Amino acid sequence: RDSISMGIYFSMYEWVTKSLLAPHQTKADLTMAGVAFAGGLAGITLWFATFPIDMIKTKIQTDNLQSPAYKGMMECFQKVYQANGFKGLYKGIAPCLLRAVPANSVTFIAFEAASKALVSKGDLMKKYRLF
């Protein structure tokens, strides 16, 4: 779940940030609002793509150990789909998305701020030959 979701997550973030910039601009020109927007969209995309897998994982993790309702992931998927159709695979996604937008916006704001700080500190250290 995580390897797929992280690929989707960072790809979407990069695509949105590049889409927000004019051809002559670089990521350094991106506004905080642009970073927040791209991070929020990346979070939404991640959860839409991986929510069914996460929901099945959670159902298996919280299953009764003495008399489990599911023998494995495929059986869990089949039972959820048979009982509720495609909608059943996304039951509970709304609160997840409401949390995803601010959480991922702040994550990328912090990431970009830290990246800029590290780059400027690195430039300063090179200038004075500190490393």
Side-chain angles (χ1 to χ4, degrees):
R1 169 186 70 113
D2 287 339
S3 61
I4 294 167
S5 64
M6 289 297 110
I8 292 167
Y9 185 58
F10 289 109
S11 295
M12 178 56 80
Y13 177 74
E14 289 298 320
W15 181 77
V16 173
T17 56
K18 286 181 179 150
S19 297
L20 294 173
L21 296 171
H24 65 280
Q25 291 180 311
T26 67
K27 260 182 132 178
D29 298 317
L30 201 58
T31 65
M32 190 181 302
V35 172
F37 179 72
L41 278 180
I44 287 171
T45 305
L46 175 144
W47 281 110
F48 263 114
T50 61
F51 195 81
I53 297 167
D54 192 69
M55 184 268 307
I56 288 167
K57 173 203 59 98
T58 301
K59 283 189 171 291
I60 290 172
Q61 284 178 331
T62 58
D63 201 4
N64 187 323
L65 292 175
Q66 283 70 37
S67 57
Y70 315 107
K71 292 179 185 167
M73 288 182 66
M74 287 308 294
E75 184 181 12
C76 182
F77 175 83
Q78 289 169 341
K79 285 185 175 182
V80 170
Y81 188 77
Q82 286 171 351
N84 302 305
F86 189 72
K87 282 179 158 180
L89 299 173
Y90 284 92
K91 186 176 181 182
I93 196 168
C96 181
L97 294 180
L98 288 172
R99 172 188 56 90
V101 172
N104 292 288
S105 294
V106 170
T107 297
F108 278 106
I109 288 170
F111 169 77
E112 292 296 348
S115 293
K116 285 179 184 177
L118 289 171
V119 166
S120 64
K121 186 168 184 122
D123 290 344
L124 184 64
M125 293 176 85
K126 282 180 186 176
K127 180 178 178 181
Y128 293 103
R129 297 177 193 203
L130 297 174
F131 71 87

